[in-house]
Amino acid sequence: MAANKLKFSPLLALFLLAGIAVTSRAGDIAVYWGQNGDEGSLADACNSGLYAYVMVAFLSTFGNGQTPVLNLAGHCEPSSGGCTGQSSDIQTCQSLGVKVILSIGGGAGSYGLSSTQDAQDVADYLWNNFLGGSSGSRPLGDAVLDGVDFDIETGNPAHYDELATFLSRYSAQGGGKKVILTAAPQCPYPDALLGPALQTGLFDSVWVQFYNNPPCHAGSFYVGVPAAEAAAGSGYVAPGDLTSAVLPAVQGNAKYGGIMVWNRFYDVQNNFSNQVKSSV
Ligand SMILES: *[C@@H]1O[C@H](CO)[C@@H](O)[C@H](O)[C@H]1NC(C)=O
């Protein structure tokens, strides 16, 4: 099959993302939003009807005792409270059934966990500032996000397993709303940075490089793709190739969850999700 010829580069692994297990119906599309001010609003993304999950990217600074920093590129300025208005968009998304997940890490951040206590502190920070807790300075306002996505691309793997554990414990609080955990590990599997965290089994899903790795015991896997040629250094798969060659090769897997698209900006530019949605 042509799928064998479609080599996904390690770089493409940056764009592979975990999703949520919903195995009884067709696959979903997840998308990263937040790193391009020209991609439209969060509400626009959700109102498109294309996505089941939107990752708000990124909390690019955290851990090591640093004051956490949210970076939403040109959308708004978190440091001056300029992003609290996103709350209404988040609620719009959630009212449409779209899960809104905070992505921590990313390719250009300053982050890392120095100790168990540091992991606990970051978990507490995330809970109080983005999830069901409370804080006087919630960057995205009062809206309660649905979970946390680990997009750990730099640093070392220490204590992310503990961060996952501490976050998962919060699922029992705040009215019992589950804190969804997803991860965007890089290949090869097991991921050098996220391997220990994934071993906790606490992740609702992780991507699995579909052509040579067994699905892991966490939830479903999503096939991550760039939304356009310009969205990645390499590894762009045209919509027609994705639907005719790649997806048929993985859709038979019981843990197939759908695709993840990097990112909303390029998706708008290239009309990518619209072209593949009916085949996902
Ligand atoms: C986007 O793709 C859909 C589905 O193929 C198509 O109906 C629509 O016309 C496209 N929109 C644009 C702007 O090309």
Side-chain angles (χ1 to χ4, degrees):
M1 281 296 292
N4 295 328
K5 292 188 219 144
L6 294 167
K7 297 261 190 266
F8 276 48
S9 70
L11 182 65
L12 182 59
L14 298 176
F15 309 112
L16 296 176
L17 173 83
I20 311 309
V22 183
T23 54
S24 61
R25 59 187 175 87
D28 290 315
I29 301 178
V31 71
Y32 277 97
W33 175 93
Q35 286 301 296
N36 192 311
D38 295 327
E39 67 197 332
S41 72
L42 180 57
D44 287 345
C46 294
N47 281 324
S48 74
L50 292 169
Y51 314 114
Y53 312 97
V54 177
M55 271 61 61
V56 175
F58 293 103
L59 187 76
S60 57
T61 297
F62 64 86
N64 294 323
Q66 302 174 98
T67 299
V69 175
L70 178 69
N71 178 311
L72 292 182
H75 286 289
C76 54
E77 183 46 57
S79 65
S80 57
C83 297
T84 57
Q86 297 294 329
S87 262
S88 61
D89 283 40
I90 293 166
Q91 286 157 353
T92 294
C93 291
Q94 292 170 331
S95 73
L96 294 166
V98 179
K99 302 293 188 192
V100 182
I101 297 176
L102 177 70
S103 187
I104 66 171
S110 166
Y111 52 84
L113 300 172
S114 58
S115 65
T116 300
Q117 186 59 50
D118 198 28
Q120 181 69 68
D121 291 347
V122 170
D124 293 347
Y125 172 82
L126 292 169
W127 172 255
N128 288 324
N129 287 279
F130 294 96
L131 301 169
S134 60
S135 155
S137 57
R138 290 172 67 93
L140 298 174
D142 292 336
V144 176
L145 276 69
D146 295 290
V148 177
D149 172 59
F150 288 38
D151 183 15
I152 307 305
E153 301 184 23
T154 65
N156 70 69
H159 307 294
Y160 286 107
D161 52 346
E162 294 170 320
L163 177 60
T165 299
F166 297 142
L167 284 170
S168 72
R169 288 181 185 160
Y170 276 121
S171 287
Q173 299 185 31
K177 176 173 174 172
K178 180 174 170 52
V179 176
I180 294 170
L181 296 181
T182 65
Q186 302 179 43
C187 64
Y189 181 88
D191 178 78
L193 295 172
L194 280 168
L198 297 178
Q199 289 297 321
T200 64
L202 294 170
F203 285 76
D204 294 278
S205 60
V206 299
W207 79 268
V208 177
Q209 190 177 353
F210 63 84
Y211 48 84
N212 62 6
N213 288 295
C216 75
H217 58 273
S220 59
F221 72 91
Y222 279 44
V223 178
V225 293
E229 194 96 51
S234 64
Y236 176 65
V237 179
D241 291 336
L242 183 74
T243 58
S244 68
V246 177
L247 294 183
V250 297
Q251 281 167 326
N253 190 300
K255 297 205 173 189
Y256 168 76
I259 67 169
M260 191 287 294
V261 170
W262 175 269
N263 58 29
R264 171 63 178 162
F265 174 75
Y266 293 106
D267 205 12
V268 172
Q269 298 289 306
N270 201 27
N271 198 28
F272 189 88
S273 288
N274 261 316
Q275 296 176 73
V276 302
K277 186 172 174 61
S278 64
S279 301
V280 169

